[in-house]
Amino acid sequence: MKTHHHIFLTAALFVIVFYDQDIGLNLGILGIVYAVLTLFKTPERNRTRIFLILFVTSILSSFAFAWFRDFPSLLAVVSSLLLLGYRSKNRKLKILFLIPVFIINSFTSIFRFFNFDSWLPKKNISGVWQKTLAFIIIPLLFISIFFGIYSVGSDHFAAVFRDYELDINIWQVLALTVLGFFIAFNYWNYAVERLIYQKNCLLDDDFPDNCKVQKSTYSFLDLDAERTSGVISFFCLNILLIFFIITYNYEQFYEISKTPVQLSEETHERVNAVIMSIIMAVLVIMFYFKSGFNFDPKAKLMKLLARIWIILNAILVFSAALKNYEYIISYGLTYKRLGVFAFLLLALIGLALTFIKIQKKKRNVFLFNTMIWYFYGTILACSYVNWGGIITSQNMKRKDFAVNYHFEQINFSERGLLKYAVEKNDLQLKKKVLEKAKQEKSKPFLSKILYFETLKE
């Protein structure tokens, strides 16, 4: 199939699966169709290992959305398909250009649509496609547009058509058609500006040969002064961080116990301070190791002090993680407490990549090129795993288990709550959970959430 076939097919499918439906199983189906069509449309040379991994994650993300239909799974399926479509056409273009490319295409789509030669066949279409396009699609498009304009301008004109009983919501069909075509057109027929191709080399992980020459970064500082500045800065920062780690751990583990509210506030404040400290640490290292010092044979002491600083920051991360674990043991699991572990893990990965950057003499952009994949992996982990079920199953073991909180605030906790209701012989809780599941099961097929379909009495 050609590009225009993919556009019309997926736009029509969008209207079919979303007409008179809530978002649910239909988006999962649409995501799988997009992924499969992308696989067959992609040239063999672009079917790299990363592309095939993205194809698998796109399929799994579509299933995850059909199963859970929550924000993390929506983010996973959208990001997976965008990455898949991007990699299908650009195997060497850096992922950091993904968002700019699709933003630019969204704004320029109206102009590219009227450039028919770029996405419709340049020669005459023969047979059914020619007649469909000429006799149905184009006239129907113009009729729909002017029908809307005239209906707004004249009540009598609109009344003529309202008098007929049609079991079709014309406005919904029109809106879905426009939205479906907009998505399909920008997915299958996006363009990458020449400037982006020209600037792609700026996002390479490794330094070009001309950047390996020893020279000062700033005109007002010579190389020796800049190197000495780095040594003094990292030495002082190491001393400062050692004292901070000591006081930080003393406050966390040896001060008098406080109320749960106070402990919660202080834990989040300290974790935020740790994450901010890690971000600033990475930025300082990026400031000093952005060019010449990566290859300076006299910068060994500065590199050693920078590595020590990274290790000390890693110790700080482990201290914060240990306190968060202690907090969970005392008061149970929540989304925020799991989120703290996720942020701390990403911070630790950032520190590890910064260490590798110094060791392997990589450019600063290496950190962004690599971290974006770890953020993507985090999104996938959030969407594939039923964290609400894990939270409920673990907190059920506690004596202070708050049933109403888990029923109202924790997503997809129903299976665990049913088990708890059976164990405690709580008929009222069982009835509430089953009623919620019944409401979800009563939705039309394409609007269903598959998770609730698996719940049984």
Side-chain angles (χ1 to χ4, degrees), residues 218-258:
Y218 305 103
S219 59
F220 55 86
L221 281 178
D222 60 28
L223 193 60
D224 290 334
E226 192 175 351
R227 187 189 306 114
T228 304
S229 170
V231 171
I232 294 173
S233 296
F234 282 117
F235 179 80
C236 294
L237 287 171
N238 277 320
I239 299 299
L240 186 66
L241 183 54
I242 289 172
F243 277 105
F244 178 70
I245 290 174
I246 293 171
T247 57
Y248 182 85
N249 283 280
Y250 175 79
E251 290 175 357
Q252 286 198 125
F253 300 109
Y254 294 103
E255 281 195 339
I256 300 172
S257 299
K258 301 178 181 179

Side-chain angles (χ1 to χ4, degrees), residues 346-411:
L346 287 173
L348 200 60
I349 292 172
L351 289 173
L353 291 175
T354 307
F355 193 94
I356 293 171
K357 169 200 156 33
I358 297 175
Q359 195 73 15
K360 300 292 185 180
K361 301 175 182 178
K362 300 288 187 180
R363 298 174 67 183
N364 286 341
V365 75
F366 160 77
L367 298 176
F368 298 98
N369 286 334
T370 310
M371 278 303 297
I372 194 170
W373 290 107
Y374 285 101
F375 277 110
Y376 174 61
T378 303
I379 292 172
L380 295 182
C382 291
S383 65
Y384 293 168
V385 179
N386 183 4
W387 297 106
I390 293 174
I391 290 171
T392 303
S393 63
Q394 293 300 312
N395 289 347
M396 278 168 47
K397 303 172 185 177
R398 302 176 58 85
K399 294 181 180 179
D400 57 352
F401 179 60
V403 176
N404 289 333
Y405 169 78
H406 288 80
F407 179 76
E408 296 173 0
Q409 302 295 327
I410 304 299
N411 297 327

Side-chain angles (χ1 to χ4, degrees), residues 13-233:
L13 180 62
F14 185 90
V15 177
I16 292 170
V17 299
F18 282 105
Y19 178 75
D20 258 356
Q21 302 285 335
D22 294 329
I23 297 179
L25 181 61
N26 42 20
L27 183 58
I29 294 172
L30 190 68
I32 293 172
V33 171
Y34 264 91
V36 172
L37 289 177
T38 303
L39 177 66
F40 286 112
K41 191 177 186 296
T42 303
E44 189 67 33
R45 67 179 181 276
N46 286 347
R47 294 183 188 179
T48 60
R49 183 178 65 177
I50 293 179
F51 172 82
L52 294 175
I53 291 173
L54 289 172
F55 170 73
V56 174
T57 57
S58 297
I59 297 292
L60 294 177
S61 298
S62 299
F63 275 113
F65 187 85
W67 188 267
F68 292 122
R69 200 199 67 181
D70 56 358
F71 180 73
S73 58
L74 174 63
L75 194 59
V77 71
V78 171
S79 58
S80 295
L81 289 174
L82 285 178
L83 286 168
L84 181 69
Y86 185 73
R87 275 295 182 185
S88 69
K89 290 186 178 181
N90 310 280
R91 59 175 179 165
K92 294 184 178 179
L93 205 59
K94 296 297 186 293
I95 293 299
L96 289 176
F97 281 128
L98 170 66
I99 295 177
V101 165
F102 277 95
I103 289 177
I104 291 172
N105 276 267
S106 296
F107 284 104
T108 60
S109 57
I110 185 66
F111 304 104
R112 291 183 294 109
F113 169 76
F114 288 106
N115 186 15
F116 297 116
D117 288 342
S118 66
W119 63 282
L120 290 175
K122 294 183 180 179
K123 61 182 180 180
N124 290 333
I125 309 173
S126 59
V128 177
W129 277 105
Q130 179 181 4
K131 295 178 181 178
T132 303
L133 181 64
F135 301 158
I136 299 177
I137 296 178
I138 294 178
L140 184 61
L141 176 64
F142 290 123
I143 290 171
S144 300
I145 293 172
F146 283 97
F147 171 76
I149 295 173
Y150 297 153
S151 296
V152 173
S154 172
D155 291 335
H156 292 290
F157 178 85
V160 173
F161 295 92
R162 284 200 297 263
D163 290 339
Y164 294 96
E165 292 293 334
L166 292 176
D167 194 20
I168 298 176
N169 189 330
I170 299 296
W171 291 111
Q172 185 182 159
V173 171
L174 181 60
L176 289 174
T177 301
V178 173
L179 180 59
F181 185 86
F182 175 82
I183 294 171
F185 184 80
N186 283 288
Y187 183 87
W188 298 112
N189 189 51
Y190 71 88
V192 180
E193 299 298 326
R194 182 178 299 177
L195 179 64
I196 291 179
Y197 281 117
Q198 293 173 347
K199 299 300 181 183
N200 190 50
C201 61
L202 297 178
L203 299 183
D204 288 339
D205 292 338
D206 297 305
F207 286 95
D209 292 335
N210 61 345
C211 289
K212 297 180 182 180
V213 179
Q214 300 301 305
K215 59 181 180 180
S216 59
T217 306
Y218 305 103
S219 59
F220 55 86
L221 281 178
D222 60 28
L223 193 60
D224 290 334
E226 192 175 351
R227 187 189 306 114
T228 304
S229 170
V231 171
I232 294 173
S233 296

